[in-house]
Amino acid sequence: MFKTRTLLLTLSACALLSGAADAGQAFASHNQLTYFEGSSDLLEPSTRPHAIKQLQSLGVHALRVELYWASVAPSPESAKQPSFDASNPGSYAWGQYDALLTEAQRLKWPVLLTVTSPVPRWATSNKKAPYVTKPGYKEFREFMTAVARHFGSQVSIYSIWNEPNHPAFLLPQWNSNGTPASPRIYRGLYQAGYAGLQAGGLAHPRVLFGETAPTGYTSVKSLLRTERSKALLHDVAPLAFLREALCLNAKYKKVCSYGAVTMAGYAHHAYTLPAGPHYVSSQADNVTIGSLSRLSRALDLAARAHAINGKVPIYLTEFGVQSKPNKQLGVSAAQQVEFDAIAEHMAYSNARVAAFSQYLLKDDPLGGAPGSSVRGGTVGFQTGLEYVSGAHKPLYSGWPVPLTVTKLHHGVSLWGLVRPTTAATKVTVLVRLKGSKSYRTLKTVTTSSTGYWSLNSSRSGQYWRVRWKSPTGVKYEGPPIRAS
């Protein structure tokens, strides 16, 4: 099982610029679904029962699961494809995926299943590790047929490939002349996978396109002279990737005769920098949580060019704020809980966003510096609610009841969510005045039917927090939050 993600965040190489978040109302015009991904804990039989109990108490209602093709395929390390019916689900060893999806179905948790690399060696074009180079379209179509036949109604929405604009998951990223190569490879994989789901009995499958990493390059032509072959291992910037995959030029005009791509939504990983959620990259083709309007505009332009269907929703299918001890991208544990809530509020305030996410329950072990994954190493993520030891971070108590406090000209604006509730409820908002050592009640507010609430207050304070008691008597208290 592939437990530790080998993702490279090139965010740290970008210039830091502050920018305004996408504007929106406190209550957007949709109900935002939040996915939780903690595959290492959930796919391991010894840790799954405890992790499920934790997720239930945290208010989780939906899961994202990554299905690694190589982890279930027969003879995945063989250069020659074995003789078997590749579209028959009985040919695969589904293992703990079956147990996890059965448990999710019992709990009535929708599952987003992202089918991704690494792939069987025999399905690659060069038969070389790390087994992500030009996977065969025919082989992938047959595999997705088996996936559809096996999981059927247990999956509410599919997504094809994880971060295909990243060299750890799909190769080659660039052609030898410095132009993007991975987008067209991905388009072929997406169409093959979509056709496979249809062949497996899903007449109109709900499938997400993209799953793109947040940063990269639009071209590496200028880097070839100095970096040579290493230049071809950089990420492709997400909007450059989108355009090339949809056969659009820099002005979003069609440059080939390909038909429109059908998608249920565009999936993106809008990670940000230690500068915080409002960070905006100076590179126009990069998309972090603070610049989602770039992605919205790109999708609208693509629809106008008839490259995709109109008004495609955005699914933020992987997100988290890195905390220390991550030296390159980590913030303090107190900042992590504040930034995470701000990012969720920003996503919820954007009516285009259909889903948000939390990546990791427990931190990965520390890995190498950004870039290690391309050289065969691992980059551990410290985005969890717990440290690798299992000790709780402030985010563990903050995630079930996220709270943001925004400074106004006179007073503050507060926004929050009671995640474990399933109906309208009451939550107590507390404030600690400057110079005081204790909290006092600011107000008890009633949430919406989905647990969201907002409040404007003229009272100044130093810290705020919320308290909530569930109908079964469980008490929740968020950590101290500062105004930003």
Side-chain angles (χ1 to χ4, degrees):
M1 193 63 62
F2 303 91
K3 293 182 178 180
T4 302
R5 291 287 304 279
T6 54
L7 178 107
L8 164 66
L9 282 180
T10 54
L11 288 167
S12 56
C14 300
L16 294 180
L17 289 176
S18 295
D22 296 332
Q25 298 298 315
F27 290 92
S29 59
H30 64 278
N31 291 324
Q32 179 174 280
L33 182 63
T34 302
Y35 290 103
F36 200 104
E37 183 177 356
S39 296
S40 295
D41 299 289
L42 293 172
L43 286 171
E44 189 68 44
S46 62
T47 57
R48 182 167 53 246
H50 177 62
I52 288 290
K53 288 182 180 179
Q54 287 181 293
L55 297 190
Q56 286 179 289
S57 69
L58 290 166
V60 171
H61 299 294
L63 295 180
R64 179 186 184 231
V65 179
E66 291 184 68
L67 172 59
Y68 305 105
W69 185 0
S71 69
V72 299
S75 305
E77 296 181 1
S78 171
K80 182 179 180 181
Q81 182 173 353
S83 178
F84 73 108
D85 182 356
S87 61
N88 180 0
S91 301
Y92 298 86
W94 303 106
Q96 295 306 314
Y97 287 106
D98 273 344
L100 177 55
L101 266 67
T102 297
E103 181 66 4
Q105 189 174 41
R106 181 186 72 81
L107 295 168
K108 298 181 179 180
W109 290 354
V111 171
L112 160 62
L113 188 68
T114 301
V115 185
T116 188
S117 60
V119 312
R121 182 183 178 189
W122 45 259
T124 63
S125 64
N126 63 358
K127 307 296 186 288
K128 295 180 180 179
Y131 309 129
V132 298
T133 303
K134 286 187 178 178
Y137 297 152
K138 175 180 177 291
E139 292 84 352
F140 188 57
R141 181 184 186 278
E142 292 173 337
F143 177 56
M144 290 301 287
T145 300
V147 169
R149 288 173 176 169
H150 185 67
F151 291 114
S153 62
Q154 287 183 302
V155 175
S156 62
I157 191 165
Y158 290 89
S159 192
I160 292 176
W161 232 258
N162 181 71
E163 299 191 350
N165 62 325
H166 190 292
F169 303 103
L170 187 62
L171 288 173
Q173 284 294 308
W174 303 92
N175 296 307
S176 58
N177 64 356
T179 59
S182 56
R184 297 295 177 93
I185 299 171
Y186 174 72
R187 181 190 177 102
L189 286 168
Y190 180 87
Q191 292 180 317
Y194 193 95
L197 292 172
Q198 289 182 312
L202 304 178
H204 303 287
R206 296 182 66 220
V207 190
L208 302 180
F209 187 91
E211 291 279 16
T212 40
T215 64
Y217 289 79
T218 299
S219 170
V220 294
K221 289 181 181 179
S222 63
L223 301 177
L224 288 172
R225 183 176 300 176
T226 55
E227 297 186 15
R228 298 187 180 183
S229 61
K230 291 182 179 179
L232 304 180
L233 291 177
H234 287 296
D235 304 37
V236 177
L239 296 189
F241 183 91
L242 180 152
R243 290 193 301 270
E244 188 67 25
L246 298 178
C247 207
L248 301 170
N249 63 19
K251 295 183 178 180
Y252 291 85
K253 302 297 182 183
K254 273 286 194 78
V255 293
C256 63
S257 58
Y258 290 159
V261 174
T262 300
M263 61 184 74
Y266 189 93
H268 184 62
H269 304 170
Y271 287 105
T272 188
L273 277 179
H278 297 293
Y279 162 78
V280 175
S281 169
S282 61
Q283 304 302 310
D285 281 339
N286 289 342
V287 180
T288 55
I289 190 73
S291 54
L292 285 180
S293 59
R294 292 177 176 178
L295 180 55
S296 299
R297 181 177 180 273
L299 292 171
D300 287 341
L301 291 172
R304 189 180 303 171
H306 304 291
I308 60 174
N309 41 296
K311 293 299 178 183
V312 169
I314 296 170
Y315 285 71
L316 300 177
T317 52
E318 187 176 308
F319 186 81
V321 175
Q322 301 262 29
S323 73
K324 295 179 178 179
N326 187 300
K327 295 180 180 179
Q328 291 81 21
L329 298 172
V331 298
S332 70
Q335 281 185 309
Q336 182 194 31
V337 68
E338 291 178 350
F339 286 175
D340 196 82
I342 292 170
E344 183 166 8
H345 186 192
M346 292 166 67
Y348 187 80
S349 299
N350 187 327
R352 192 67 172 268
V353 177
F356 192 65
S357 60
Q358 165 59 30
Y359 179 62
L360 287 186
L361 174 60
K362 182 184 293 185
D363 283 354
D364 289 328
L366 281 173
S372 302
S373 59
V374 178
R375 299 187 295 273
T378 60
V379 177
F381 267 54
Q382 282 67 54
T383 52
L385 278 60
E386 298 178 330
Y387 293 105
V388 70
S389 66
H392 291 181
K393 301 180 186 179
L395 185 59
Y396 195 96
S397 59
W399 195 82
V401 285
L403 169 67
T404 65
V405 185
T406 306
K407 294 178 182 177
L408 301 176
H409 184 63
H410 296 291
V412 293
S413 175
L414 298 99
W415 173 93
L417 166 64
V418 178
R419 205 183 299 275
T421 191
T422 56
T425 188
K426 292 185 181 298
V427 61
T428 302
V429 184
L430 307 172
V431 61
R432 194 180 106 186
L433 304 180
K434 190 174 182 179
S436 175
K437 295 183 179 180
S438 60
Y439 285 84
R440 63 179 65 180
T441 298
L442 178 64
K443 191 172 184 180
T444 297
V445 297
T446 301
T447 72
S448 69
S449 61
T450 50
Y452 292 94
W453 61 272
S454 64
L455 169 69
N456 286 347
S457 173
S458 60
R459 181 174 295 183
S460 60
Q462 188 172 17
Y463 292 101
W464 289 258
R465 69 194 321 168
V466 293
R467 287 178 183 160
W468 180 70
K469 186 175 181 179
S470 76
T472 59
V474 180
K475 296 179 180 179
Y476 293 78
E477 181 167 295
I481 300 296
R482 299 169 299 178
S484 61

